[in-house]
Amino acid sequence: MQAAATLPKYRTRWTDRQLLALPKNGYKHETLDGTLLMSPGAANHGWVSIRIASLLLAHTERHALGKVFDSSTGFRLSPSTLLSPDVSFVSVARLPEVLVNPDKFLQGAPDLAVEVLSPSDRPKVLEAKLVKYFAHGTRLVWLIDWKKQEVTLHTADLHRKLIGLNAVLTGGAVLPKFKCRLGDIFGRV
């Protein structure tokens, strides 16, 4: 098997089998329009991701809203695009549509995609991901910047930035009744 540094970066399509056969080397593998993206996360990235996942999991289970997934879960949006947000949520109503086979990638976009920003994230790639998410049915994206301790909420037609540890993050229509202070996410980053 090839090392990550020698893997081809571009193909017109990566099959599920090819992606699943990539080395388990600590890199998160995604494809965006055929380009292979690989990026391990730093400690604070993982810590913030697990905090938001914990808050979402507790809320969604308490209200039976759907399923929360971690960054190892791939969402096949098209033959050339497979994204795996750091945290994601799929509603009960959409689970039968996207969870076709639990042993395979989900077929479609999550209702909520959470991307925790890393220093290696490039603005053009993030923008391209947002476009893909919304084009395939995502209703809400949270971009979480743990260094600045802020969250930017995106919908298909607008974005709003929340700044400060006392600002309140809500799930809107995607996650009814979900509320948390940014301090609950960032804690002692």
Side-chain angles (χ1 to χ4, degrees):
M1 193 168 282
Q2 297 175 319
T6 61
L7 289 171
K9 298 288 183 195
Y10 183 82
R11 293 183 181 199
T12 56
R13 177 181 174 166
W14 284 82
T15 67
D16 293 354
R17 178 177 283 181
Q18 289 167 325
L19 286 167
L20 290 169
L22 289 173
K24 307 298 184 249
N25 55 6
Y27 286 91
K28 175 175 142 176
H29 298 96
E30 299 177 289
T31 61
L32 184 61
D33 293 329
T35 300
L36 183 64
L37 307 174
M38 300 181 299
S39 61
N44 277 340
H45 180 281
W47 189 76
V48 168
S49 295
I50 203 69
R51 295 212 21 127
I52 191 66
S54 298
L55 292 166
L56 289 173
L57 182 63
H59 179 77
T60 58
E61 286 189 346
R62 182 172 40 254
H63 298 286
L65 296 175
K67 292 198 179 284
V68 174
F69 298 94
D70 73 359
S71 65
S72 64
T73 305
F75 288 84
R76 175 62 74 189
L77 304 184
S78 72
S80 64
T81 301
L82 177 105
L83 297 179
S84 57
D86 294 306
V87 181
S88 55
F89 164 75
V90 178
S91 65
V92 169
R94 291 195 55 245
L95 271 172
E97 171 190 334
V98 298
L99 186 58
V100 177
N101 181 338
D103 293 327
K104 304 239 180 209
F105 297 126
L106 284 92
Q107 300 298 306
D111 291 283
L112 166 68
V114 180
E115 295 283 355
V116 178
L117 302 181
S118 298
S120 63
D121 284 331
R122 296 183 314 270
K124 284 186 178 185
V125 172
L126 285 172
E127 183 62 33
K129 284 183 177 184
L130 286 172
V131 168
K132 294 292 183 183
Y133 282 133
F134 291 123
H136 291 89
T138 296
R139 297 170 20 204
L140 180 62
V141 176
W142 295 340
L143 295 181
I144 299 180
D145 188 331
W146 58 267
K147 283 191 172 187
K148 293 181 181 177
Q149 296 192 344
E150 65 186 32
V151 176
T152 306
L153 288 75
H154 292 266
T155 60
D157 56 351
L158 64 98
H159 71 275
R160 182 173 62 116
K161 190 173 285 191
L162 300 175
I163 300 172
L165 296 179
N166 288 321
V168 176
L169 177 64
T170 65
V174 176
L175 286 164
K177 300 180 185 176
F178 178 84
K179 286 186 198 178
C180 74
R181 289 181 318 105
L182 295 193
D184 295 336
I185 297 170
F186 298 119
R188 294 186 188 150
V189 171

